[in-house]
Amino acid sequence: MQKQILYLWIALFTLSALQAQKPKTPSASEIYESIQKLNVLGSVLYVAAHPDDENTRLIAYMSNHVKARTAYLSLTRGDGGQNLIGHEIRELLGVIRTQELLAARRVDGGEQLFTRANDFGYSKHPDETLEIWDQDQVLSDVVLAIRRFKPDVIINRFDHRRAGQTHGHHTTSAMLSMEAFDLANDKSAFPELIKDTGLWQPKRLFYNTSWWRYGSKEAFDKIDKSNMLKLDIGVYYPLKGMSNNELASIASSQHLCQGFGRVSTRGTQDEYIEFLKGAPLDGANAIFAGIDTSWNRIKGGKAIGAILNAVEANFDFTNPSIHVPDLLKAYRLLQNIENEHWKTLKSKALKQIIQMCAGLYLEASAETHWATQGETIKLNIEVLNRSKLPITLQSLTNTSGLNIQKEMLLGNNTRFNFKEVLKVANNAEPTTPYWLNKKGSLGMYQVDDKSLIGKPETPRQYTVDFNLLIENTPITFSKPVIRRFSKPDKGELYRPFEIIPEASAKIKEKVFIFENNQQRDISVIVKAGRDHLEGDVEVCHPNDWQVYPKKQKVSIAHKGEEQTLVFTVIPPENQSEGFISPIVHIGDKAYTKELIAIDYDHIPFQTVLLPSESKVVRLDIKKRGENIGYIQGAGDVVPESLEQIGYNVSVITLDDITPETLNRFDAVVVGIRAYNTLDDIDFKQQQLFDFVANGGNMIVQYNTSYRLKSEHLAPFDLHLSRDRVTDENAEVRFLKPDHEVLNFPNKITQNDFEGWTQERGLYFADSWGKEFTPILSMNDTGETPKEGSLLIAKHGKGHYIYTGLSFFREFPAGVSGAYRLFANMLSLGKDDIKAAIKLED
C-alpha cells in the first residue's frame, strides 16, 4: 500500500512537471505553507558538483521544516554522465539533467543555481579538475552565487579535505565553496561583480557528513560529534500527508536518466552537518543560532511581520481570500523597505500568495508553441477572479509593444477571454539553452551575457503583464506566454512558447563510416519554421571529399513540415576523416543549426539549437561475420554504429534469447550497464554461455560494480571494480602484441588509440580466472597499471569478452581505432579471415 501511495505521488509530481507552465492553482494548505515560508527571512545554500549529488532530504528539510529559502548550487549540469533513458549524451544530456534538477526542486521546494563549469567526465583529483576547468571563472561563479543569493548558511555536500580520495569534481566543489565563503565579502575579489550584487558574508559553513565518509556506521558511531549538528530529517508534514524523507525520495526520483528512481523511506532519520567555519555554534543545536530570521532582521520589517504573522496565526482554510486586504497592506509597506534583497524576494512571494488567496487565474496562450522572427501570433488571454474581492483589470502590456487598456471589473468566478496578437521582434533570439549558444572548451561553457551566468535556464522572452487594481492597490502579475492545447489520448497539455529560426537542417546520422571508397547517399532534412519557405541547400565538406549535387532547391509550404534532400558523398581513396554540415540559404540569410526536441514525460519539453554537423570517416577496415545480436542496456548508439561498418544488427530482448534465436548470430553484444538494468538477465546467462560454447562470440560492455543483476557475468571467475582511466590520452600498452584481437583482421597499433574522447574506459575488472587473457594495460598519471579493460577467454568453440573501454563514447565521436578494434573482437576465431589475410600477403 505504501508503495502504491509513493507511485501515486510520483505520478502527480510528473504531471506537475509536464504542466510546468500552467498557472498555479494551489490548495488552501499549500497557500498556508507559503505564508509560513513568507515569515522566515533565512536562507541556506547547498553546494556540490553534479545533478543527483544533492541531498534532497536536507534540502527538503530546510525548505519545508525550517521554512528557509533554500537553493542547490550544482557546479556542473552533468554532461559527462551516462543516460539510462535515452541516447542523449554530452550537451543534450546536460539539458535533460538540468531539467531533472528543476523537477526535483519543484518537489522539495528548493531553487536551482549553476556555474559555467562543464562536466568533462570523471576526475580523480582536484588538481586534474582545475587544470580543465578555468579555476578563476568557476570560483568567480561560486562567489557570484553567494553574493546574489546571500545565504546565511552554506552546506557543502563533500569534504574539502579528501583530495584524491573521491571524484575530483566533488572535492573541488567543497574547496571552492570554502574559499568563496571568505571572498564573497572581500571587495578586492571579483570587484566587477559587486556593482550588481554587493558584498555578502555568510554566517556559517557546514559539511553534510555521514557514515559513508568514515567507511561504516560502526566507525561513524565512534567518532567525536561535538562539532556536529544532528537533524531529524524524517519529520512528518500533516499538511502534505507525507514525511520529509518521503518527499525527498520523490524529489530524488526525478533524476531518472541517472537511474535514481527509488522507493521512499519514512520515520525518524538522523542527518549530520559538521561545522567548518564562521560564527561558532557555542553549544547551540540550531543551524540558524544567533541569526534573526524574523521580519525584525530588516529595518521597517517589524510592522510587516506583525501583519503577516497574524495572517498565519488566523489563517482561514475555507476562505483564504479574506486575508487579501491584510496581505495588500503588508505589500504596500514592503515597497518602502530599504533592503533591496529582501524587498525583491518577499514582494515576489507576497504577490504570488495574493494571487493564490484571490483564486486569480491568469493565462496567455498562443495559437502555436513556436514562432519565427517577425511573425504575428494570435493569443488567447484568460482572466478569472474566483473571489468576491473587488478586482479591476486595468490593462494588458508587455515589452514587445502590447498595450491594451481594459478597465474591467472582474466579477466573482466570471471568466473573461480576450483575443490579442503578439508580434515577434525581427531580432528575437531563438529559444535554446543559453550556455550552448557558443562553443565552449572541454571544461567551461562560454556565456557572453554575464546576466545569465548561474541561471538554470534561458528566461522566456515573451510574457504578458496583467495590470490589476485590488482593493485600490495596483499590482502586476507577469505570466509567460505558453501554448495550451489538448490531445484525445492525453487530455489538456502545456508547452512553452518558443522562438525558432525560419529554417533548420539536420543530418540524422552523426557519423558516417566508409569502409571502402564507394559513394553513399545521405539525407539532409530541412525543417520550416514558417510557411512558404523557399531557398537552397548545400553541404560543406572536407577538401578531399566530394558531395553531389553542389546545391538543391528547398520548397516547403507549411510551417513545421520537413523536406528531405538526398546528396551523394564520395570519399577519397585513402583513409581520411572530417566533418560535413548542411547550410540552408533563405534570401541573404544562412542557417546552419539543427533543431533538436527533447521530449520526456518527467520534464517539460525542451528545444535545443546546435550546430548541424556529422563526422565522415574513410576507414580501412576488415571484418568477419554478418549478423549481430544486441542486448540493449542503459541506452547507447552502438547498434547503429556497427551498422555503419556493414553489420546486420538486431536488437533483441531477454524474451528473444533462445537457442534458436541465438543460432542466427555470429556474435552477441551486451549493451552498457545491461547487468545493472535488466532484472531477469541472470535467467538467460546459461543460454548465452552455451551460445559461446557452440562457436559464437559474446562481448559484454561495461557495467557498474554495484547493483548487478547477476552474480555470474561470465562462464569463469570475473570481478568488476571501480577502476577507470579518465585520461583519454593515457598510454595504452599491449600485453599480448601477438594476440589475434590485435592482429586480425585489422592490425591494431598505437595510432588506433589516438583521438579518443572523455576517457579510455571505466569499471574495469580487477580480478579474473586463469581462463582470461588481459590484452591491454593503461593507467592515469601516478596510478598503478590497470589490466582489466579488455579480457578475452576461450569458451568451447567461441570467445567471451569483457571490456570496460568506452566504445559507447568513441563510436558517436567517429573514433576510427575504436571501430577497428571492435571489428576484431567480433571476428575472433574466424579462421577464414586469417587465411584470407595470409593469401593477400
Side-chain angles (χ1 to χ4, degrees):
M1 181 63 181
Q2 289 285 354
K3 202 170 185 178
Q4 291 174 339
I5 292 173
L6 175 64
Y7 290 155
L8 174 60
W9 271 101
I10 292 175
L12 290 174
F13 279 113
T14 299
L15 179 63
S16 174
L18 285 172
Q19 305 196 19
Q21 291 76 35
K22 183 177 180 178
K24 195 171 183 179
T25 53
S27 66
S29 61
E30 290 173 307
I31 298 173
Y32 177 69
E33 289 181 298
S34 297
I35 294 171
Q36 288 182 310
K37 197 162 186 175
L38 183 67
N39 283 328
V40 176
L41 280 71
S43 52
V44 177
L45 181 65
Y46 197 88
V47 180
H50 310 106
D52 74 31
D53 281 348
E54 81 274 25
N55 183 347
T56 55
R57 300 182 304 273
L58 195 51
I59 291 175
Y61 179 87
M62 291 297 167
S63 179
N64 295 277
H65 180 70
V66 180
K67 305 296 183 184
R69 183 187 181 218
T70 308
Y72 172 41
L73 173 61
S74 176
L75 267 58
T76 76
R77 296 176 185 268
D79 305 56
Q82 286 84 49
N83 184 0
L84 290 180
I85 61 174
H87 293 162
E88 296 91 349
I89 58 174
R90 293 304 307 158
E91 294 91 347
L92 296 180
L93 178 59
V95 174
I96 293 173
R97 297 189 74 183
T98 293
Q99 290 300 319
E100 288 183 338
L101 275 173
L102 290 171
R105 300 295 80 78
R106 284 191 289 271
V107 175
D108 61 33
E111 300 175 35
Q112 186 60 52
L113 307 172
F114 291 98
T115 75
R116 288 170 287 175
N118 193 344
D119 178 7
F120 56 83
Y122 193 88
S123 173
K124 294 181 177 178
H125 198 281
D127 291 348
E128 178 194 23
T129 299
L130 293 173
E131 285 178 2
I132 298 175
W133 287 353
D134 185 314
Q135 180 173 354
D136 193 61
Q137 283 189 13
V138 181
L139 179 59
S140 167
D141 291 355
V142 178
V143 170
L144 173 65
I146 295 172
R147 287 176 177 173
R148 183 182 284 161
F149 189 77
K150 301 191 185 326
D152 297 304
V153 173
I154 297 176
I155 303 175
N156 290 344
R157 178 55 165 153
F158 299 108
D159 192 344
H160 64 286
R161 299 158 294 199
R162 301 197 69 204
Q165 300 178 56
T166 183
H167 197 321
H169 296 180
H170 292 172
T171 310
T172 301
S173 72
M175 291 167 56
L176 294 179
S177 176
M178 288 284 290
E179 189 174 357
F181 181 89
D182 298 316
L183 294 180
N185 199 39
D186 183 347
K187 63 182 180 181
S188 67
F190 310 108
E192 70 278 5
L193 304 178
I194 297 174
K195 180 181 178 182
D196 295 327
T197 64
L199 297 172
W200 183 253
Q201 181 58 63
K203 192 78 168 179
R204 295 189 182 96
L205 189 146
F206 294 89
Y207 158 49
N208 183 196
T209 189
S210 177
W211 65 264
W212 46 260
R213 161 66 177 81
Y214 297 88
S216 69
K217 293 181 179 179
E218 292 74 19
F220 185 63
D221 289 341
K222 296 176 183 178
I223 68 166
D224 178 10
K225 300 183 180 64
S226 60
N227 201 36
M228 297 181 187
L229 295 183
K230 182 173 73 172
L231 310 170
D232 179 6
I233 51 82
V235 293
Y236 180 67
Y237 302 130
L239 292 173
K240 297 180 183 296
M242 59 174 19
S243 62
N244 184 78
N245 34 18
E246 288 176 291
L247 184 71
S249 295
I250 298 171
S252 181
S253 290
Q254 304 307 305
H255 295 295
L256 295 182
C257 74
Q258 299 304 296
F260 266 53
R262 59 187 59 183
V263 296
S264 65
T265 58
R266 58 200 59 81
T268 294
Q269 187 175 356
D270 291 337
E271 193 76 44
Y272 290 87
I273 55 175
E274 176 188 350
F275 174 77
L276 296 178
K277 65 163 61 175
L281 289 167
D282 293 329
N285 195 35
I287 193 169
F288 284 105
I291 304 172
D292 189 351
T293 61
S294 73
W295 280 99
N296 293 334
R297 91 177 277 172
I298 60 175
K299 183 180 178 181
K302 184 175 182 180
I304 299 171
I307 297 170
L308 295 177
N309 284 309
V311 171
E312 178 184 342
N314 301 289
F315 186 73
D316 189 334
F317 286 85
T318 63
N319 183 18
S321 66
I322 68 168
H323 300 296
V324 170
D326 285 334
L327 295 172
L328 287 168
K329 186 185 301 183
Y331 177 78
R332 290 191 294 267
L333 289 174
L334 185 55
Q335 305 319 300
N336 298 320
I337 292 295
E338 295 177 2
N339 187 310
E340 287 296 326
H341 175 70
W342 286 113
K343 174 183 175 180
T344 301
L345 292 176
K346 294 303 183 180
S347 291
K348 180 181 177 181
L350 193 45
K351 284 169 60 175
Q352 291 173 340
I353 293 171
I354 290 169
Q355 180 186 345
M356 291 188 290
C357 285
L360 280 168
Y361 188 94
L362 309 170
E363 180 183 272
S365 176
E367 63 179 338
T368 179
H369 57 268
W370 64 46
T372 57
Q373 293 177 340
E375 191 172 355
T376 298
I377 298 297
K378 294 178 182 178
L379 292 181
N380 179 66
I381 295 177
E382 182 175 342
V383 183
L384 180 62
N385 169 22
R386 289 175 287 197
S387 74
K388 295 180 180 180
L389 294 166
I391 300 177
T392 300
L393 172 62
Q394 294 184 305
S395 63
L396 301 169
T397 58
N398 70 4
T399 56
S400 61
L402 183 70
N403 189 355
I404 309 297
Q405 300 301 310
K406 291 296 182 182
E407 294 298 334
M408 298 178 60
L409 183 65
L410 303 178
N412 177 29
N413 210 29
T414 300
R415 185 179 64 179
F416 293 88
N417 283 97
F418 310 108
K419 303 296 183 182
E420 306 295 348
V421 295
L422 172 69
K423 179 67 165 63
V424 178
N426 292 327
N427 61 349
E429 292 292 331
T431 305
T432 193
Y434 70 85
W435 60 94
L436 300 179
N437 275 330
K438 291 199 173 177
K439 185 175 180 62
S441 65
L442 174 63
M444 297 297 298
Y445 301 116
Q446 181 177 336
V447 182
D448 291 341
D449 186 346
K450 304 305 180 185
S451 69
L452 294 174
I453 294 174
K455 293 184 182 297
E457 54 187 343
T458 306
R460 293 294 164 185
Q461 291 186 59
Y462 288 96
T463 60
V464 171
D465 292 337
F466 294 78
N467 302 304
L468 305 179
L469 192 66
I470 308 176
E471 295 269 325
N472 294 316
T473 299
I475 191 165
T476 297
F477 299 97
S478 184
K479 300 295 177 181
V481 175
I482 50 87
R483 163 70 169 155
R484 178 164 63 99
F485 62 107
S486 67
K487 288 187 176 181
D489 58 336
K490 292 187 177 181
E492 186 176 63
L493 297 171
Y494 285 77
R495 281 271 298 271
F497 175 71
E498 300 179 316
I499 309 303
I500 64 170
E502 61 178 339
S504 58
K506 69 177 180 181
I507 301 173
K508 186 175 180 181
E509 294 82 5
K510 295 306 174 188
V511 176
F512 290 96
I513 305 294
F514 291 76
E515 55 179 321
N516 51 45
N517 61 358
Q518 296 298 307
Q519 66 186 35
R520 184 185 299 183
D521 289 342
I522 66 165
S523 296
V524 175
I525 303 170
V526 180
K527 186 166 188 171
R530 62 168 173 82
D531 293 338
H532 310 300
L533 188 76
E534 302 279 345
D536 298 309
V537 181
E538 63 176 322
V539 176
C540 291
H541 55 84
N543 291 334
D544 55 342
W545 294 66
Q546 298 180 54
V547 175
Y548 179 83
K550 297 294 184 183
K551 282 188 178 182
Q552 294 191 58
K553 293 288 185 183
V554 62
S555 178
I556 304 176
H558 300 110
K559 172 181 181 176
E561 291 183 349
E562 297 178 339
Q563 183 177 343
T564 300
L565 305 173
V566 178
F567 289 84
T568 300
V569 177
I570 304 171
E573 288 289 333
N574 300 316
Q575 188 157 316
S576 173
E577 60 184 58
F579 292 91
I580 58 174
S581 56
I583 302 178
V584 184
H585 298 277
I586 307 296
D588 60 353
K589 295 182 179 180
Y591 297 93
T592 60
K593 291 191 174 182
E594 174 183 356
L595 188 67
I596 303 167
I598 298 178
D599 191 7
Y600 290 100
D601 286 345
H602 67 301
I603 59 175
F605 186 93
Q606 298 294 299
T607 297
V608 184
L609 277 171
L610 289 177
S612 180
E613 63 178 19
S614 296
K615 190 172 185 179
V616 288
V617 180
R618 167 68 173 91
L619 177 61
D620 290 327
I621 187 170
K622 299 180 178 69
K623 62 185 188 302
R624 172 65 170 97
E626 298 293 333
N627 301 312
I628 308 298
Y630 198 88
I631 303 171
Q632 198 81 57
D636 54 57
V637 294
V638 172
E640 296 89 337
S641 301
L642 295 178
E643 288 175 342
Q644 285 275 356
I645 57 174
Y647 285 106
N648 299 319
V649 183
S650 299
V651 175
I652 58 176
T653 67
L654 294 184
D655 291 338
D656 296 328
I657 298 177
T658 65
E660 295 75 22
T661 299
L662 296 177
N663 192 48
R664 295 163 27 204
F665 302 120
D666 300 297
V668 170
V669 180
V670 184
I672 61 172
R673 297 176 73 166
Y675 288 97
N676 301 126
T677 60
L678 301 178
D679 289 334
D680 296 328
I681 195 169
D682 189 45
F683 301 118
K684 298 294 184 177
Q685 285 294 83
Q686 190 55 53
Q687 293 182 61
L688 290 169
F689 297 158
D690 291 343
F691 163 75
V692 177
N694 291 328
N697 288 339
M698 179 178 176
I699 300 175
V700 176
Q701 298 178 85
Y702 98 90
N703 287 266
T704 62
S705 55
Y706 56 96
R707 297 179 183 175
L708 287 167
K709 306 293 184 180
S710 175
E711 295 181 2
H712 306 286
L713 292 185
F716 312 111
D717 289 340
L718 179 67
H719 181 263
L720 304 186
S721 71
R722 297 180 65 86
D723 289 348
R724 62 174 76 205
V725 175
T726 62
D727 181 358
E728 62 269 34
N729 298 310
E731 179 189 2
V732 177
R733 299 173 291 276
F734 295 171
L735 297 174
K736 300 289 182 180
D738 295 330
H739 195 281
E740 181 180 343
V741 78
L742 296 178
N743 293 278
F744 302 103
N746 305 288
K747 180 67 175 178
I748 303 300
T749 70
Q750 290 297 329
N751 292 337
D752 290 296
F753 291 94
E754 293 180 359
W756 283 53
T757 182
Q758 186 160 326
E759 62 200 357
R760 288 296 190 196
L762 63 170
Y763 289 97
F764 296 169
D766 62 354
S767 64
W768 48 84
K770 64 181 185 334
E771 297 85 357
F772 281 103
T773 299
I775 304 299
L776 306 173
S777 174
M778 60 189 73
N779 56 273
D780 285 318
T781 302
E783 294 192 352
T784 58
K786 305 294 186 291
E787 298 183 352
S789 65
L790 179 57
L791 302 173
I792 300 175
K794 193 81 164 61
H795 180 53
K797 300 177 181 179
H799 295 82
Y800 176 95
I801 304 168
Y802 177 81
T803 179
L805 295 173
S806 58
F807 291 102
F808 74 103
R809 294 197 190 281
E810 311 317 317
F811 284 173
V815 177
S816 57
Y819 281 91
R820 286 162 48 82
L821 179 57
F822 209 93
N824 282 14
M825 291 156 56
L826 291 169
S827 302
L828 273 176
K830 312 304 180 184
D831 292 333
D832 52 342
I833 280 287
K834 288 191 285 185
I837 290 174
K838 289 178 180 178
L839 288 175
E840 290 176 5
D841 294 341

